[in-house]
Every structure is written in structure tokens, then in C-alpha cells.
Amino acid sequence: MRPIIIINVRRMIDSAIDVDRLIAVTNFFLEYTIKYAMVPGAIEAWTCIFDLKDVGVTEIPKDRIQPLVGNMTKNYRGRLFRFYATDVTFIVRQLWKLAH
């Protein structure tokens, strides 16, 4: 009963979209999702999946992901129900465990 948002990191890298444009597109999409996919009092959160297939550790676009996550944290606080990452390499998994 929650919308699922899938972020394909490989496409984000290949598109070479700048950070400001990425944030603007994300804000539009999330506002659209809130207006048309949410039911007040029943469905008020989403699940986010980061697809890291074919993305190496050195290719992860930290310069784009960090501002995007910061913007989502500031503007859409409390909307994220669960966060998943798929096709995560062993090194990234170990770094996540260390940071967490």
C-alpha cells in the first residue's frame, strides 16, 4: 500500500545530469507522488530502492547523491518508510556496516 520509488544509479551516472536539475526533477516527481499516489491518513510514506547494478565502488556519484538525499531529508521528512539498496558490492556493504 505504499508507492515504491526505484532509483537506477547507473542511469544517473550515464545521463550526466547536473545536481540542480536532478533536485528539480526529484522535487517535481515527489510532489506529484504526494498529490496523486498518497491517501491522507492511510498511505503517507514511500519505499525507496537504490539499484546499484553495474555500478562500481568508485563510480558511485557521491557529488549527486548527497545533495539529493539532503534535499529529500529537508523537504520530505517522515515520508520514507523503508530504504533498500540492491546489487550492492561486498566493499560497499562493509563500508555501510562500518558507518552504521
Side-chain angles (χ1 to χ4, degrees):
M1 295 275 303
R2 290 184 180 90
I4 299 173
I5 299 170
I6 300 172
I7 300 169
N8 188 329
V9 178
R10 173 84 285 169
R11 288 179 119 184
M12 186 189 308
I13 294 168
D14 293 342
S15 70
I17 189 170
D18 67 335
V19 176
D20 295 331
R21 179 96 170 148
L22 179 65
I23 289 173
V25 169
T26 303
N27 285 341
F28 172 79
F29 176 74
L30 293 177
E31 289 298 325
Y32 185 89
T33 302
I34 290 169
K35 184 169 182 167
Y36 295 107
M38 302 285 191
V39 178
I43 303 171
E44 296 183 338
W46 52 64
T47 300
C48 188
I49 300 173
F50 260 60
D51 182 10
L52 294 168
K53 185 176 181 180
D54 299 327
V55 177
V57 176
T58 58
E59 290 182 300
I60 296 174
K62 295 173 210 70
D63 59 325
R64 288 185 229 156
I65 291 177
Q66 286 176 342
L68 180 64
V69 170
N71 178 61
M72 289 175 70
T73 302
K74 183 175 73 173
N75 294 326
Y76 303 103
R77 178 166 290 156
R79 293 280 186 181
L80 181 64
F81 175 67
R82 297 252 197 255
F83 173 82
Y84 300 102
T86 63
D87 295 315
V88 180
T89 63
F90 175 76
I91 295 171
V92 172
R93 196 175 10 226
Q94 295 305 317
L95 288 172
W96 180 259
K97 286 180 183 178
L98 180 69
H100 196 262

